[in-house]
Amino acid sequence: MPNLTINGIAVAVPDGTTILNAAKTIGVHVPHYCYHPRLSIAGNCRMCLVEVEKFPKLQTACSTVVTEGMIVRTDTEKVRKAVTGVLELILIHHPIDCPICDQAGECGLQNYYMTYGLHKSRYALEDKVHKKKVQDIGGQIVLDAERCILCSRCVRFLDEVTQTRELHIFSRGDHSEISVFPGRPLSNDYTGNLADICPVGALTSKDFRFKCRVWFLKGAESICTGCSNGCNVEAHFKGDILYRLKPRENEAVNRSWMCDFGRLEYKKANDARLLAPFVREGGAEKAVSWGALVPRVALELSRAAEAGPDAAAVIASPQLSNEELYLARRIATELLGTRNLAFTHRAPGDGFEDGFLIRADKNPNSRGARLLGIPDGAAFDALVERIAAGTVRALLVFGNVVGSFTEAETAALLSKVPFVAQVGTNDGPVSKVATAVMPSASFAERGGTFTSHAGRVQRFRAGFAPRGKARNTVDLLVELANRMGAGWTFAGEASVFHALSATEAPFAGMTYESVGSQGQECKP
Amino acid sequence: MSFEFSDAGRREFDRLLTRYPDRMAVVLPALHLAQRELGYVSDEAIVHIAERVGTSPAYVEGVATFYTMYNRKPVGKYHVQICRNISCSLLGAEHLIEHVSKKLGVAPGETTPDGKFTLSKVECLGSCGTAPVMMVNDDYHENLTAGSIDRILDGLK
């Protein structure tokens, strides 16, 4: 543990710590572009120069390891002058297209210019080297070579994280630019991260660019629903529109990264949403109020349950939270007294997985469903058989699809059930045939926990209120259950989780506080 | 169109592979080898070398474009490279470049229509003591004047 002082403040840090990270521990920010905590150290941007006593020249804080008794200053005139000079050099060939640049608002150049820049240009405009703008280089990325400051973060990311090496720095001197080799575009499933780590506007997201200025966006801690890995993400929204997902750091799950498929999951919260409850009578859709619909669904389910054992059924979904699954199970077993309870995977796609972040199971909570005693596989197949045989009179189905059934297959199956009530977020095969459609909140509009494939219980939080007339699923299920005489007093997800952790062994002792923002392993 | 080394080139490449502990180190000599066989480094050669070495074409392109001795476009039979860095400049390299440009009828970076000469400006040939300097293919010519350049270029078949 070397002891050193930074700007007069004494600090002790572990062996091998760099000056930049030592400074961070006492809240001193050293400016930098090329340094990234997840990538190797390049030391090429020279923005992090600091003064170290007894060293004749300024040192790069990102690559200099602290030693006992070191005296570092980051706030001297000499440092300031050096950083100002570096910034001036970087800006010589950087276009000032901030008004049309999508990085504006989260651009390192803009931010540091206000602190270290504010200088007049000493460079003749006609000497400027112009490089190619707006290049589609594949994946989710658009390249503007002119904005690039050659920090090489992207090159190192593709070298060290994906190991696909599609980008490199070509030519040298003031003609240096990053690009792909002709005819060899980005071809990995993590390209979106390049836009995240680019400190300027050289690599921007094809999907997000020009959609919204970042300073209008608010963020909520969330969990990606694209597969069972449970990558920690930040959901960025304005009003009730979700604009993008960004990876949120979690060393144990996704470090600082997320895949390209997960990044586009946000669209499901915006597009083809079910926004108002309706019933289907004689083939026609008819709008209905929640006040009328919930009692009706409760009545139909109860009647079916009274008609005989197993005449009511519940198909759960691994897109539901632990809290919602717990309530759905209790409705099935305690209130309906049926053994017809199973969950079905969302259409699994090609089941692709890559050993890094992408898992074959494209659902966020299959593990949670199984831990809460809801079966899938053979149990689901058996339930489908009983439905097809016409023994089920009322069905409560969660989600927008039934397994990997096509729209026609779904319609054929559900036509065997006289009353189908759906709790779902998006228009799909189920909503096209259900008798009663109850729109529910998307992952961005409600809170709860998912259990990842690895058994990590993680919280996602509501960014904004449910869109349209959609309802929070927990609230909806509590009301539905109470209409069937349950007498539940749950108030919100936290109280459900509290009850769940009291009775379900894998979750024993857990609270929302203990799960926190980084998750918690469930009991084996 | 794909690139393949000649039989001799392939043997040389295999020999080079045994020379370094790290395969990546073969990129530089392999590019030289390709340039010796083609006169320049083609896109196909870059893809081929990347595959043989086990890296991406972008990585090899990054190396090839870092060094000025690799030609990424075909050059003439004689590649005339005139240094314009500080010592050569002070001793009139700019005028010599202009002189050769006029004599050959091409601007720096261009090749004569008969494919005989390509003229390039380069940043440093590392021979300040004998400036101004030019390189024609692999040969150095030092202490140049307009007259000596004329004699050298006129003497080339």
Side-chain angles (χ1 to χ4, degrees), chain B residues 14-141:
Chain B
D14 291 339
R15 193 186 66 79
L16 288 169
L17 278 177
T18 65
R19 235 172 70 181
Y20 307 98
D22 181 351
R23 277 179 90 86
M24 299 295 264
V26 177
V27 171
L28 286 175
L31 286 167
H32 276 302
L33 192 57
Q35 178 152 309
R36 217 174 304 146
E37 300 210 335
L38 284 177
Y40 75 111
V41 178
S42 66
D43 283 2
E44 291 79 13
I46 287 200
V47 171
H48 180 73
I49 291 169
E51 280 167 4
R52 290 290 313 265
V53 172
T55 186
S56 71
Y59 178 86
V60 179
E61 170 82 351
V63 174
T65 56
F66 183 85
Y67 297 100
T68 54
M69 63 271 212
Y70 299 118
N71 304 315
R72 284 293 278 112
K73 281 188 251 163
V75 291
K77 185 177 175 194
Y78 297 105
H79 190 190
V80 180
Q81 303 183 72
I82 306 180
C83 176
R84 61 157 194 184
N85 214 301
I86 185 72
S87 300
C88 292
S89 259
L90 289 170
L91 288 161
E94 287 299 308
H95 301 295
L96 294 178
I97 292 167
E98 226 178 276
H99 174 76
V100 175
S101 179
K102 235 179 247 164
K103 180 183 172 71
L104 299 177
V106 292
E110 292 178 356
T111 303
T112 54
D114 60 3
K116 194 169 168 190
F117 293 104
T118 297
L119 173 63
S120 298
K121 296 186 287 192
V122 293
E123 284 307 333
C124 184
L125 290 176
S127 191
C128 300
T130 56
V133 175
M134 77 171 174
M135 215 177 144
V136 180
N137 292 351
D138 289 334
D139 298 322
Y140 266 55
H141 300 275

Side-chain angles (χ1 to χ4, degrees), chain A residues 175-236:
Chain A
H175 286 81
S176 287
E177 66 177 280
I178 56 154
S179 196
V180 291
F181 189 75
R184 301 287 180 106
L186 293 175
S187 58
N188 66 77
D189 295 322
Y190 297 88
T191 61
N193 298 295
L194 293 170
D196 296 341
I197 60 172
C198 180
V200 296
L203 299 168
T204 48
S205 157
K206 233 180 254 180
D207 180 65
F208 176 71
R209 62 204 307 263
F210 307 128
K211 296 269 174 67
C212 185
R213 284 301 197 183
V214 293
W215 51 79
F216 294 126
L217 296 174
K218 289 184 181 145
E221 285 182 358
S222 194
I223 299 296
C224 179
T225 57
C227 80
S228 60
N229 198 55
C231 289
N232 290 214
V233 298
E234 179 100 354
H236 286 166

Side-chain angles (χ1 to χ4, degrees), chain A residues 290 293-295 297 324 327 331 396 398 422-424 437-441 469-484 488:
Chain A
W290 279 111
L293 184 59
V294 177
V297 172
E324 292 155 358
L327 295 182
I331 287 174
L396 178 61
F398 292 89
Q422 179 203 12
V423 176
V437 173
M438 296 182 277
S440 61
K469 289 180 180 162
R471 285 189 64 182
N472 180 302
T473 314
V474 162
D475 293 348
L476 175 60
L477 292 181
V478 170
E479 190 193 331
L480 186 65
N482 284 340
R483 290 278 174 187
M484 293 190 273
W488 288 348

Side-chain angles (χ1 to χ4, degrees), chain A residues 364-377:
Chain A
N365 206 21
S366 304
R367 179 83 187 261
R370 290 187 198 112
L371 289 176
L372 288 165
I374 304 176
D376 62 336

Side-chain angles (χ1 to χ4, degrees), chain A residues 18-31:
Chain A
T18 58
I19 294 176
L20 188 144
N21 284 325
K24 199 189 275 176
T25 63
I26 54 164
V28 170
H29 176 72
V30 178

Side-chain angles (χ1 to χ4, degrees), chain A residues 95-135:
Chain A
I96 308 300
D97 49 8
C98 313
I100 57 156
C101 174
D102 216 45
Q103 189 82 356
E106 49 188 10
C107 170
L109 288 175
Q110 258 187 349
N111 295 347
Y112 289 153
Y113 183 76
M114 302 312 289
T115 316
Y116 299 98
L118 300 171
H119 38 63
K120 288 217 165 58
S121 178
R122 287 189 266 160
Y123 198 74
L125 197 60
E126 55 268 26
D127 291 340
K128 206 182 157 321
V129 178
H130 293 286
K131 293 167 188 167
K132 267 184 277 169
K133 300 183 82 76
V134 204
Q135 302 176 66

